Amino acid sequence: MRRRTCIEVDNSENIDVLQELHEYFLNQGMDAVYTLSGVLKVRLYADTPEFSVLMGVIRKRGLDYGYSEVREYTKKELEEAKLFQMVLPFPYEMDGEIPNYGTIYEESCSDCNVGLIQISDLIVNVKKFSKYDIAMLMPEILISERVRLLLEENEITGYTLRPVIDFKRRTDTLLYQLVITNSLPEMSSQIRTEVSYFGGNKNFRPYPCKICGQNGKIRRSEAIYEKAKLTKVSDFNLSEEYFGINMYCVQDIIVTQKLRKVFKENKISRIIFDPVSII
């Protein structure tokens, strides 16, 4: 596995340092941009000498920086992985819609509303889902009749189903809400997390949420679990932790290789399977 990173360094008191770094990385033929707002963005692999140079300067100078990565796996690594984080599309939110069709929720965190508890059946616009077999209406998971049958035929574990109601009471599209019933223990302390801020302004309401401690934490590495703690694993699982910001702050969906293969073999598309590290 290789980590392809994007490092963003933002420090108005060290403009000369950032400009020198920008010039250095350009001379090395690296993907580096110095923006008009004074942010240095460098994209490079984490196993390169240039990455070590950049992180060394950041630590020595105490520079503020953001870190994100894309992990690249070989076919062999994908086939040998036991667990995956499953990332689903969210067609409602991708279209700029934050729908509220009348589903009743009970408040969880009094400050940020992360972890809302669903009371009623899920009410949605089913037409928005017509091109998907599985997708999310944050934080809920919806599946088609085709996926329901696949899960049943392959004896997939760790979930239950609830009805989904169309907000216009149309009945031509049959959907189900998939509710994951198994939770995993806490992740290893080796995961890399980052704390976000409103609008990137570190002086305006820093995260994480002061009440629940969840909203605003972003996981920047793969999910990592200690093998000794994984005593109960189903095909569908939820992480104990919440990651993300506001309506996108949800528990990770962790699934088995068995489920991945069922979806791959039956061409259930638009899903990302990111391997989980077990140590």
Side-chain angles (χ1 to χ4, degrees):
M1 180 257 286
R2 295 192 77 191
R3 302 180 191 275
R4 181 159 50 89
T5 71
C6 177
I7 311 295
E8 297 189 16
V9 190
D10 180 7
N11 198 309
S12 58
E13 297 177 0
N14 292 272
I15 293 176
D16 291 343
V17 175
L18 299 189
Q19 290 176 339
E20 289 176 11
L21 283 170
H22 181 229
E23 184 175 350
Y24 166 78
F25 285 113
L26 288 181
N27 289 337
Q28 298 298 314
M30 309 296 290
D31 182 359
V33 176
Y34 186 69
T35 68
L36 293 176
S37 59
V39 177
L40 174 65
K41 296 183 180 181
V42 186
R43 293 179 174 84
L44 70 175
Y45 284 97
D47 57 359
T48 59
E50 291 81 9
F51 180 84
S52 298
V53 168
L54 177 57
M55 297 309 296
V57 173
I58 287 173
R59 294 188 184 101
K60 183 178 180 179
R61 297 276 186 161
L63 303 178
D64 292 328
Y65 73 101
Y67 175 101
S68 60
E69 67 178 34
V70 175
R71 294 167 291 280
E72 299 175 353
Y73 296 89
T74 65
K75 183 177 181 180
K76 183 174 184 289
E77 287 172 328
L78 291 172
E79 292 303 316
E80 291 180 349
K82 304 296 184 184
L83 297 175
F84 298 82
Q85 179 196 3
M86 184 172 72
V87 182
L88 299 174
F90 36 97
Y92 299 89
E93 292 87 348
M94 286 191 296
D95 283 351
E97 182 180 359
I98 305 177
N100 181 4
Y101 293 113
T103 306
I104 300 173
Y105 290 91
E106 184 177 273
E107 185 180 83
S108 178
C109 177
S110 59
D111 186 43
C112 68
N113 286 330
V114 164
L116 289 174
I117 301 169
Q118 183 183 340
I119 302 300
S120 71
D121 289 335
L122 191 63
I123 305 172
V124 303
N125 177 359
V126 299
K127 294 299 183 184
K128 184 77 73 172
F129 193 82
S130 59
K131 297 179 181 179
Y132 298 84
D133 279 307
I134 182 169
M136 294 189 75
L137 171 57
M138 294 289 185
E140 319 304 349
I141 305 169
L142 292 86
I143 64 171
S144 66
E145 173 69 4
R146 178 178 177 226
V147 167
R148 184 193 72 80
L149 291 172
L150 281 175
L151 299 180
E152 184 177 300
E153 291 166 0
N154 289 277
E155 299 182 340
I156 298 299
T157 61
Y159 75 97
T160 188
L161 298 178
R162 293 185 64 164
V164 172
I165 301 171
D166 179 64
F167 79 118
K168 291 185 176 180
R169 300 303 189 267
R170 292 170 292 201
T171 58
D172 54 326
T173 302
L174 185 58
L175 298 181
Y176 302 89
Q177 180 184 354
L178 186 144
V179 180
I180 298 175
T181 55
N182 194 55
S183 295
L184 296 180
E186 65 180 356
M187 292 186 188
S188 165
S189 59
Q190 293 186 29
I191 62 169
R192 184 188 187 109
T193 60
E194 189 174 286
V195 176
S196 183
Y197 298 83
F198 264 133
N201 183 346
K202 298 184 178 182
N203 296 315
F204 183 59
R205 197 196 178 206
Y207 286 109
C209 173
K210 294 179 181 178
I211 302 298
C212 69
Q214 303 278 14
N215 193 3
K217 290 194 298 185
I218 302 172
R219 180 169 56 77
R220 292 302 193 188
S221 68
E222 73 275 22
I224 306 173
Y225 284 97
E226 297 173 22
K227 184 177 181 179
K229 294 183 178 180
L230 292 175
T231 57
K232 183 184 177 184
V233 179
S234 299
D235 293 311
F236 277 110
N237 310 270
L238 288 175
S239 67
E240 178 180 294
E241 301 84 355
Y242 286 74
F243 297 109
I245 304 172
N246 298 334
M247 66 181 291
Y248 300 102
C249 184
V250 296
Q251 293 164 283
D252 285 341
I253 304 170
I254 308 294
V255 301
T256 58
Q257 179 74 261
K258 175 184 176 180
L259 179 63
R260 173 181 175 267
K261 288 183 176 179
V262 168
F263 279 6
K264 290 287 186 181
E265 289 168 1
N266 290 278
K267 296 181 171 53
I268 305 298
S269 59
R270 300 187 178 96
I271 304 173
I272 297 171
F273 291 98
D274 191 45
V276 171
S277 288
I278 302 176
I279 59 176

